[in-house]
Amino acid sequence: MQELIRQRRRAGFVGRGAERSAFRQNFDLPPEDERHRFLFHVHGNAGVGKTFLVRELEQLAREKGALTAYVDEAAGSVSEAMAAISRQFAAQGHKFKELERLLAVHRERRHEAEAVVAALEPEPRAPSAGSTAAMRAGLVGLGMVPGVGAFAGALDAAQLAQGADRLRAGLSSRFRSQDDVQLVLSPERVLTPALLTELSDAASAAPWTVLFFDTYERTGPFLDGWLHEVMTTDRHGTLPATVVVVTAGQHPFDTTRWGGFADFVADMPLGSFTEAEARSLLSDKGVRHEPVVAEVLRLTGGLPVLVSTLAETHPAEPADVGDPSGTAVERFLKWEPDQLRRAAALACALPRTLDADVFRAVVDCPEEQFDELYAWLTGMPFVSERGSRMLYHDLVRVPMLRLQRRQSPRRWTELHRRIAEAFTRWREQAEADLDPSEFWKEADWRELRLAESYHSLCAGPRAAIPMALTDIATACDHGDDILRPWVRLLDEVGEDADAAVVRMWGEGLAEAHATGGVAEVLRLLLSRARGDEEWLAIARAARGDALARAGDHDTALAEYDRALRLDLGLVRAYRGKVLARSALGDYRGALDDLRRVLELEPDNPYNVFLRGEHQRILGRYDEAIRDLDRGIRLDPNQEFAWASRGAARLGLGELDDALADLDHALELKPDYAWALARRARLWRARGDRARQLADLDRALALQPDWAWGRCERGDALRRAARDEEALVDYDRALALDPEYASAYASRGASLSKLGRYEEALADLDRALELNPSYVWALERRATVHRRLGMDDRALADERLAARLSEPATANQSNAFNGDVRMDSPRTPPTTDP
């Protein structure tokens, strides 16, 4: 009995009996029982003890033999949350080896992505602006320089338009596999199946697995959708039925997302302690004198964090509790007679997070008292440990900040300036081991810079705001994950320092980021700029990239031009123009901009490759080969350059040389889908149908949702009189891209061969609706019209096809005959390239 009592009062935990009981009883119900709950959501205002309850529930789960993991706001993304889960399971004897391997690759690839400058544009005249918007968005959003052609690994433009997940094949040819590309673009799509597999393996060794997600008001924006998908769909695999999830935050569940799943969710709203619970806590701390208890209850309103803080001071008389008109800070520290401790507690409220180094920079104390004073402070109820950091509870920190700011503005400024100088010093030390281009890639550097900016803004808002805005403009160039903390920073400073200028910026930027993301943040920055800021040109170029991500290439071009008026040597703006012009199908204009890029960076092999690829797209095969020859001499290890040159030689009918180039590209990267598809065309030209199909099968195994590849294989199957199989590929291609004219034409041809003339006619009509000058489709429709006895319509089609075919096409290869085909399916040319 005594042992059970001690367990129930573990760590002085009192109250929340109903919540603990419901959670404990859930383990007695098998997952198949309709009363069993898979998800518990703890929610309530700050200070009600959510984290204390979550930690207690974790102990209860472990008593039931469960494996547990706890995640809070220290995780800034889904991948970081998975890393935290993996570490904690390893500490319990269950290493997630495959997940850890993928996480390590993810971290490496995120660093590499900044240096990758590969983005493929399909063949000439084919893509529409919308078809390549998603690819452009993903690459620019990751800080990469966009491009076209073979550089992106044969991405299908329509597929890319479906969403960011289809960008994986086009990130860079320097990655070893498509999974590596996904690890950069959508890491959760690769990591989540691995996590579920690891959880399934661990489930065989324990009766339950419980995952805790605390501070959900901060982690929910990126975790909630992922968690909902993992728990309610099998998109990433199956979740063991013995997994229980606990979330805790200030807000109730989003009913628009979770409302339909109330039958497996246990809602746990928390309010202030009941009087009985508050009295129990005070009694447990030795505070039993009724007048004192009554005074504590009156002052705290039963808010757990305040009850706990006041109980720790062990007041003996009501007067010790303090005057009701006193500030919250006085109530927290009134019973601490040591002035050094009081000063330390107040000073250490200034930093957003605390560790021993920050404590030493903030607190003036004799060295011999350092350890004792630090231990005292970190043991206070309002200071909690989160990983390697210590945090003040907001209900305590906020009034402490206000007290210091109002009582002594000069001391406030002096302390913040001192802390800012310490973070500046630590940041500069971190920079000593980094190349300047790596600063923003390093999370530790960013944290130091954020802290430095926070304290600089608190010390002197007007003086520090230009530096902060420069950093925000730079952060915009690194994506939402990097930008978000900077936007939140200004919001925090505006409140903590009561600084009107910072509050104005913080509110504006927060609203802009919520409504329009990076592009809107940059628009606001630029609209309020004075005109002499050093970040203006970069911000203009970054906004051009953001607009390109949204498919607004015309406006993006205008932003790039504005950037160049501010800085004529800004290479990234010229490359951005290449991107925008390519997306709009203006390849000749893109070549004009590439000339300027090469003037500024003549020895950058990527620029040479890029011009060569544009020449190839325009059918200027000889010029393309000259550029690609030079680029390969500069850097012979880039497989996309070899593949692009192979494609150019294929366009000239130089089949042996083309095969040598494509083979070499595939030696450098065996899973290069675009090179496989190009080599398949070469086998087609040689009449080697078996090898053609083998290469297309390999390409589609690597990139199954590639519409162009599906259509290519469908054509190969149709020529082999395997029309029923061809229809499967055509159907899949059109599901991926409903505006793929060539796929409609090819499917119409197969349907005609199978005698399904009405269906064939509908497909051919649709192909010609999308591309009225499509000669091959006109010829096929004429045949179908004759089959259906529509001779007049057949004759009209034949005459129009003959008229459209009269002009000779420059640079046209006689290597292929038959269907219209290009790398991109949007608007095929009138003759086969």
Side-chain angles (χ1 to χ4, degrees), residues 484-749:
R484 192 175 293 110
W486 289 94
V487 173
R488 190 163 60 232
L489 176 78
L490 293 194
D491 246 353
E492 292 179 15
V493 173
E495 291 302 316
D496 294 347
D498 193 23
V501 64
V502 182
R503 183 181 293 110
M504 177 195 70
W505 275 107
E507 292 173 352
L509 290 170
E511 181 180 355
H513 189 249
T515 57
V518 169
E520 188 63 14
V521 167
L522 287 163
R523 185 203 63 76
L524 180 64
L525 283 172
L526 292 163
S527 69
R528 293 182 179 178
R530 298 187 309 271
D532 59 351
E533 290 86 351
E534 63 183 32
W535 45 264
L536 284 180
I538 293 295
R540 289 288 181 192
R543 185 161 191 264
D545 294 344
L547 290 164
R549 287 199 294 275
D552 189 356
H553 301 289
D554 289 315
T555 311
L557 277 172
E559 284 290 9
Y560 293 132
D561 285 337
R562 292 187 186 102
L564 290 168
R565 284 196 290 272
L566 293 165
D567 182 355
L568 287 173
L570 191 59
V571 177
R572 62 167 292 174
Y574 282 108
R575 275 195 288 251
K577 291 184 70 176
V578 171
L579 154 72
R581 292 192 191 282
S582 296
L584 293 169
D586 182 9
Y587 302 112
R588 289 175 176 79
L591 270 178
D592 289 340
D593 289 318
L594 275 168
R595 291 189 185 95
R596 180 59 177 149
V597 171
L598 282 160
E599 288 173 6
L600 294 167
E601 288 184 351
D603 296 324
N604 184 335
Y606 168 73
N607 297 334
V608 182
F609 296 151
L610 189 59
R611 186 172 65 180
E613 178 61 13
H614 271 83
Q615 300 280 22
R616 185 193 70 81
I617 288 171
L618 289 169
R620 302 172 183 174
Y621 299 128
D622 292 325
E623 294 93 330
I625 290 171
R626 279 196 294 272
D627 276 335
L628 292 164
D629 284 346
R630 180 178 168 231
I632 288 170
R633 285 195 298 272
L634 291 169
D635 185 355
N637 297 315
Q638 296 300 326
E639 59 271 15
F640 51 79
W642 292 89
S644 182
R645 192 175 70 177
R649 285 175 165 170
L650 187 59
L652 291 172
E654 299 171 357
L655 302 187
D656 290 339
D657 289 338
L659 180 59
D661 279 350
L662 292 166
D663 283 347
H664 189 66
L666 288 163
E667 287 173 10
L668 292 170
K669 185 183 178 185
D671 58 355
Y672 193 173
W674 193 86
L676 286 165
R678 277 295 176 181
R679 195 172 67 178
R681 283 195 155 196
L682 187 146
W683 299 130
R684 187 180 88 179
R686 287 188 167 177
D688 193 334
R689 187 170 294 154
R691 287 184 176 178
Q692 178 191 5
L693 280 169
D695 274 351
L696 288 170
D697 288 344
R698 281 183 61 194
L700 287 168
L702 293 165
Q703 201 173 323
D705 293 337
W706 183 15
W708 183 83
R710 288 279 179 185
C711 211
E712 278 290 285
R713 190 171 69 179
D715 291 343
L717 292 167
R718 178 168 52 78
R719 291 190 193 92
R722 295 161 62 179
D723 290 281
E724 294 287 358
E725 296 173 70
L727 289 177
V728 174
D729 275 334
Y730 295 141
D731 288 346
R732 180 60 181 152
L734 288 166
L736 293 166
D737 180 6
E739 296 184 359
Y740 191 165
S742 194
Y744 281 111
S746 291
R747 190 170 71 176

Side-chain angles (χ1 to χ4, degrees), residues 176-198:
R176 293 188 298 274
S177 70
Q178 296 304 309
D179 278 352
D180 285 355
V181 176
Q182 274 296 59
L183 278 171
V184 175
L185 292 173
S186 299
E188 66 275 7
R189 295 186 179 275
V190 177
L191 297 173
T192 304
L195 172 67
L196 297 184
T197 300
E198 305 278 20

Side-chain angles (χ1 to χ4, degrees), residues 245-256:
V245 175
V246 179
T247 55
Q250 293 185 14
H251 311 297
F253 258 136
D254 179 4
T255 55
T256 59

Side-chain angles (χ1 to χ4, degrees), residues 357-561:
D357 291 333
V358 176
F359 182 89
R360 194 181 298 274
V362 174
V363 176
D364 295 314
C365 76
E367 183 63 29
E368 61 272 14
Q369 296 184 36
F370 176 85
D371 291 338
E372 182 275 331
L373 190 58
Y374 184 65
W376 166 81
L377 180 63
T378 55
M380 291 296 287
F382 55 77
V383 179
S384 60
E385 183 176 355
R386 301 288 175 86
S388 60
R389 301 172 299 163
M390 296 289 179
L391 299 177
Y392 273 42
H393 196 289
D394 284 345
L395 286 174
V396 178
R397 181 173 182 257
V398 170
M400 284 185 172
L401 292 177
R402 289 173 180 163
L403 175 70
Q404 295 178 86
R405 190 180 68 242
R406 292 172 181 173
Q407 280 189 344
S408 179
R410 290 182 181 82
R411 176 67 173 164
W412 165 274
T413 298
E414 177 189 337
L415 279 175
H416 276 295
R417 186 166 290 134
R418 183 203 300 179
I419 304 170
E421 289 169 356
F423 277 105
T424 301
R425 188 166 60 252
W426 297 331
R427 173 182 58 79
E428 290 172 348
Q429 290 170 359
E431 290 174 355
D433 298 324
L434 298 172
D435 184 272
S437 64
E438 298 175 333
F439 292 169
W440 282 87
K441 302 174 190 175
E442 294 293 330
D444 290 344
W445 182 92
R446 295 196 303 270
E447 284 301 317
L448 292 169
R449 183 67 168 178
L450 275 167
E452 176 188 3
S453 294
Y454 173 84
H455 293 291
S456 296
L457 285 164
C458 287
R462 292 192 176 278
I465 196 70
M467 178 187 77
L469 295 180
T470 299
D471 283 345
I472 288 173
T474 305
C476 285
D477 213 18
H478 293 268
D480 273 327
D481 288 345
I482 305 300
L483 173 62
R484 192 175 293 110
W486 289 94
V487 173
R488 190 163 60 232
L489 176 78
L490 293 194
D491 246 353
E492 292 179 15
V493 173
E495 291 302 316
D496 294 347
D498 193 23
V501 64
V502 182
R503 183 181 293 110
M504 177 195 70
W505 275 107
E507 292 173 352
L509 290 170
E511 181 180 355
H513 189 249
T515 57
V518 169
E520 188 63 14
V521 167
L522 287 163
R523 185 203 63 76
L524 180 64
L525 283 172
L526 292 163
S527 69
R528 293 182 179 178
R530 298 187 309 271
D532 59 351
E533 290 86 351
E534 63 183 32
W535 45 264
L536 284 180
I538 293 295
R540 289 288 181 192
R543 185 161 191 264
D545 294 344
L547 290 164
R549 287 199 294 275
D552 189 356
H553 301 289
D554 289 315
T555 311
L557 277 172
E559 284 290 9
Y560 293 132
D561 285 337

Side-chain angles (χ1 to χ4, degrees), residues 197-224:
T197 300
E198 305 278 20
L199 287 174
S200 296
D201 292 342
S204 63
W208 298 98
T209 300
V210 187
L211 305 177
F212 296 86
F213 298 96
D214 202 0
T215 57
Y216 211 61
E217 66 273 9
R218 294 191 179 182
T219 59
F222 59 84
L223 281 179
D224 198 54

